């Protein structure tokens, strides 16, 4: 795909967002977009967001890491996106539903990097990556799927739109030292104080450190290696909950402090 084609696609995407046009699959000469084309579109969206110089990449998200989420979205592979610093919120944040086309809340474990992740080799021991993580937190990913039709989805079309990421809400950061390989953390989502769904950190790929390895490879391939201080969202362990104005959401993950967000 040529640079001028990518710019034209992103011009159209921005028009669709302004007009609240429903999410559409990306087609080129009648065929689905490839993942390479999707990430070229994502790169242009990101470049425009960073053009003023007042924002930066605060981390990465991975999507569709669990069998539950892949089944929910009708796809079979993970995808990645970038998190902008301007969209990172602390627990207790309030979001306006009217600022989104269709606001979704995803319940996740977030990892904060304390040092650079080494160039990743397939034969390396993924558990060694825990040395790169200095803190973890229960977190919500904020997504906007633009009222997508879940009966007809493709990973590449979602990836093109920054994998639908519109920010994150982070719980209080806790040292990762006592949590081993970060598996077997049991999570529970509450809406207005009532439990509605459960999940486990085991549900994301083979565990959160495998997610980190995948994201590290993705970032290296994109020429933007992971940096200390960045957050990695490891994927929703509970299917997306579409936000309702007036509701309060709380996600409890193992012994970590709960993360909370209110919708108005």
């Amino acid at each position: 795909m040529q640079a001028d084609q990518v710019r034209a696609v992103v011009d159209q995407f921005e028009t669709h967002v302004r007009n609240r046009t429903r999410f559409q699959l990306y087609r080129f000469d009648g065929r689905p977009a490839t993942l390479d084309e999707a990430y070229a579109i994502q790169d242009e969206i990101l470049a425009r967001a960073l053009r003023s110089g007042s924002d930066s990449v605060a981390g990465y998200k991975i999507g569709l890491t669990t069998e539950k989420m892949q089944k929910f979205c009708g796809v079979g592979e993970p995808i990645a996106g970038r998190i902008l610093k301007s969209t990172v919120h602390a627990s207790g944040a309030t979001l306006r539903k009217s600022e989104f086309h269709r606001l979704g809340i995803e319940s996740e474990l977030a990892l904060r990097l304390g040092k650079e992740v080494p160039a990743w080799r397939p034969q390396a021991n993924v558990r060694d990556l825990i040395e790169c993580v200095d803190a973890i937190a229960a977190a919500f990913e904020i997504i906007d799927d633009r009222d997508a039709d879940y009966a007809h989805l493709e990973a590449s079309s979602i990836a093109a739109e920054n994998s639908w990421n519109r920010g994150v809400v982070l719980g209080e950061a806790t040292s990762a030292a006592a949590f081993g390989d970060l598996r077997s953390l049991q999570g529970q989502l509450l809406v207005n104080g009532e439990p509605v769904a459960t999940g486990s950190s085991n549900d994301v790929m083979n565990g959160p450190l495998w997610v980190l390895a995948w994201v590290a490879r993705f970032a290296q391939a994109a020429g933007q290696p992971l940096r200390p201080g960045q957050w990695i969202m490891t994927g929703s362990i509970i299917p997306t909950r579409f936000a309702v104005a007036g509701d309060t959401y709380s996600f409890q993950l193992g012994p970590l402090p709960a993360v909370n967000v209110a919708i108005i």
Side-chain angles (χ1 to χ4, degrees):
M1 181 184 290
Q2 300 298 316
D4 58 343
Q5 292 176 298
V6 173
R7 288 191 292 269
V9 169
V10 177
D11 286 344
Q12 185 178 57
F13 161 73
E14 291 177 340
T15 298
H16 286 173
V17 171
R18 283 195 301 272
N19 295 339
R20 297 207 170 203
T21 303
R22 192 178 193 188
F23 176 80
Q24 301 173 16
L25 299 178
Y26 285 79
R27 290 288 181 269
F28 300 99
D29 298 324
R31 61 166 176 81
T34 66
L35 273 177
D36 284 344
E37 289 168 336
Y39 287 125
I41 295 165
Q42 183 185 125
D43 286 346
E44 176 64 16
I45 291 172
L46 180 73
R48 295 186 187 192
L50 298 176
R51 190 170 290 163
S52 70
S54 61
D55 213 341
S56 61
V57 175
Y60 286 77
K61 64 79 55 90
I62 187 171
L64 313 184
T65 57
T66 69
E67 184 178 350
K68 268 189 277 192
M69 288 302 295
Q70 289 175 5
K71 183 177 180 180
F72 184 51
C73 290
V75 295
E77 58 187 317
I79 54 176
R82 272 70 71 90
I83 303 164
L84 294 176
K85 183 178 180 180
S86 61
T87 66
V88 176
H89 310 271
S91 180
T94 297
L95 303 178
R96 291 186 177 276
K97 187 172 181 287
S98 61
E99 294 179 357
F100 302 83
H101 190 145
R102 184 163 68 171
L103 169 61
I105 303 292
E106 299 192 341
S107 306
E108 311 197 11
L109 172 66
L111 316 180
R112 189 178 70 195
L113 299 178
K115 63 180 184 180
E116 291 186 9
V117 178
W120 193 247
R121 305 179 309 280
Q123 67 271 25
N125 187 343
V126 73
R127 290 177 177 83
D128 291 341
L129 287 178
I130 193 62
E131 297 177 3
C132 301
V133 178
D134 74 344
I136 61 177
F140 286 123
E141 183 184 1
I142 305 161
I143 71 157
D144 190 340
D145 71 358
R146 297 204 296 116
D147 195 26
D149 177 1
Y150 282 70
H152 302 91
L153 281 184
E154 296 162 349
S156 61
S157 291
I158 302 172
E161 298 190 4
N162 199 34
S163 297
W164 290 344
N165 179 265
R166 288 288 301 276
V168 297
V169 181
L170 298 172
E172 181 182 341
T174 300
S175 170
F179 290 89
D181 63 3
L182 307 178
R183 290 174 57 84
S184 301
L185 292 172
Q186 301 304 309
Q188 180 174 241
L189 175 65
L190 297 92
V191 179
N192 301 324
E194 296 295 325
V196 296
T198 60
S200 168
S201 63
N202 292 351
D203 295 340
V204 292
M205 297 175 74
N206 290 318
L209 292 180
W210 278 257
V211 173
L212 177 54
W214 191 96
V215 175
R217 288 194 296 271
F218 173 85
Q220 288 164 4
Q224 300 168 336
L226 301 179
R227 301 192 307 273
Q230 288 184 326
W231 285 94
I232 308 302
M233 298 291 288
T234 58
S236 187
I237 67 172
I238 292 171
T240 307
R241 193 84 180 186
F242 291 106
V244 175
D247 282 354
T248 298
Y249 299 80
S250 180
F251 177 52
Q252 301 171 343
L253 185 61
L256 299 175
V259 59
N260 302 288
V261 66
I263 311 299
I264 61 174

